Amino acid sequence: MATAIERHHAAVEHHHDEHHHHVIEFTPAQRLSMNRLGLWLFLISETFLFAGILVARIVLLRDEGGSFTRPELDQQLGLVITFILLLSSLAVYMGETAISRGEIGRFKAGIGAAIVMGLIFTVGVGYEWSIAHFAPSDGVEGGMFFFMTGMHALHVLTGIIFLMIVYWNGRLGNYTKQSHWGVEASALYWHFVDVVWVFFYVALYLIGHVPEVH
Amino acid sequence: MEFEHNDPHNEQEEGQSPYERGIIVFFALTVFTFIEYVIGTTEGKILVFSSNLVPLGVIALLKAGLIVSYFMHISRLWSSEEDLH
């Protein structure tokens, strides 16, 4: 006579067999829809990370009177690299639009330009680091500046890698007008990194005043 | 694995091509950024606000809204399955 545990195991196996025989088939449209939702949920989780960092900057960088302060940075450089990152988002948008119309030449031009601009942005941030009047260990100001720009630059580099993979796949002819989820996903990630910089730029370069004494 | 796209948001809307729309959005982002720069570098001297946090925050939200709406196509999330076919 079978024990209760054996009967349970048999029931579980039967249940599993049923699952194996009833594989749910999704249409391409359903898969695309689920992919989009999954990526957006990931981006929302990233938003919490960057929002937390932003709140920390707002709370911590103040003077004795409670007024907002900011690090002393090269304003012109900040404006130029911000412009370049916005322009790279336009290039990615153009590339994604092009592949959705089957225009492979424009796709490669857009994604390729975005990769170059992403690299220029990263070099710009590196240059800002090299000329900064403070080090990461120089109090809250130095810590916040290098933490915020470092976290963002890490995401920019990740985005550049994604775009390089997408560019290479495009060269190989792996994307078509009808099928290019990889392009859409990497474009979404790149635009998200751009949105983060929209807030980090004002938080680091523009909000508050530069304290007179460091 | 790749899935089929046929997104109506990539097609022409109201007689405007997606390329033109992208350039217009980028132009708006550039203008907003320049306004931010002016507000930030004058440190509120030309504004009535005691801190530049509020105007800069509002402009940053507008810029983020433009990117999320037009470049990231957030409306695709609630596109019906029929739209995707």
Side-chain angles (χ1 to χ4, degrees), chain A residues 31 35-36 70 76 86-87 90 93-94 96 98 100-101 103 106 178-182 184 191 206 208, chain B residues 2-5 7 10 18-19 22 26 33 36-37 40 43 51-53 60 70-72 76 81 84:
Chain A
R31 285 170 186 264
N35 276 5
R36 282 177 177 161
R70 66 183 188 222
Q76 281 74 34
L86 290 173
L87 192 59
L90 174 65
Y93 170 84
M94 294 295 194
E96 189 196 351
S100 73
R101 297 171 149 220
E103 299 168 354
R106 276 189 172 180
Q178 292 81 19
S179 176
H180 52 270
W181 163 246
E184 182 182 331
H191 295 313
L206 302 176
Chain B
E2 293 295 324
F3 307 111
E4 286 195 1
H5 288 63
D7 200 313
N10 279 338
Y19 294 121
F26 171 72
T33 303
E36 284 177 337
Y37 178 80
E43 296 184 10
S51 162
N52 59 14
L53 175 69
Y70 291 98
F71 286 175
M72 299 176 79
R76 284 174 178 168
E81 197 180 329
L84 295 166

Side-chain angles (χ1 to χ4, degrees), chain A residues 166-187:
Chain A
V166 161
Y167 182 85
W168 185 251
N169 282 333
R171 272 181 65 96
L172 296 176
N174 291 341
Y175 302 123
T176 63
K177 182 180 175 179
Q178 292 81 19
S179 176
H180 52 270
W181 163 246
V183 181
E184 182 182 331
S186 57

Side-chain angles (χ1 to χ4, degrees), chain A residues 16 34 42-43 68 72 74 131 147 177 213:
Chain A
H16 283 175
M34 287 188 291
F42 165 71
L43 295 179
F68 296 112
E72 187 174 2
D74 187 328
I131 61 172
F147 179 48
K177 182 180 175 179
V213 181

Side-chain angles (χ1 to χ4, degrees), chain A residues 66-196:
Chain A
S67 299
F68 296 112
T69 61
R70 66 183 188 222
E72 187 174 2
L73 301 168
D74 187 328
Q75 286 293 339
Q76 281 74 34
L77 178 62
L79 185 63
V80 168
I81 61 173
T82 300
F83 177 78
I84 288 170
L85 200 61
L86 290 173
L87 192 59
S88 75
S89 250
L90 174 65
V92 166
Y93 170 84
M94 294 295 194
E96 189 196 351
T97 303
I99 200 67
S100 73
R101 297 171 149 220
E103 299 168 354
I104 193 71
R106 276 189 172 180
F107 158 76
K108 287 194 288 187
I111 301 298
I115 292 168
V116 172
M117 286 185 270
L119 289 170
I120 293 171
F121 175 85
T122 310
V123 170
V125 171
Y127 181 68
E128 185 75 89
W129 282 13
S130 71
I131 61 172
H133 303 295
F134 44 82
S137 56
D138 287 345
V140 178
E141 188 181 69
M144 283 308 303
F145 170 74
F146 283 96
F147 179 48
M148 290 174 76
T149 51
M151 278 296 288
H152 183 262
L154 189 66
H155 282 73
V156 170
L157 288 172
T158 310
I160 290 171
I161 292 168
F162 288 157
L163 291 178
M164 283 177 165
I165 293 169
V166 161
Y167 182 85
W168 185 251
N169 282 333
R171 272 181 65 96
L172 296 176
N174 291 341
Y175 302 123
T176 63
K177 182 180 175 179
Q178 292 81 19
S179 176
H180 52 270
W181 163 246
V183 181
E184 182 182 331
S186 57
L188 269 173
Y189 185 82
W190 190 260
H191 295 313
F192 173 76
V193 170
D194 195 14
V195 169
V196 171

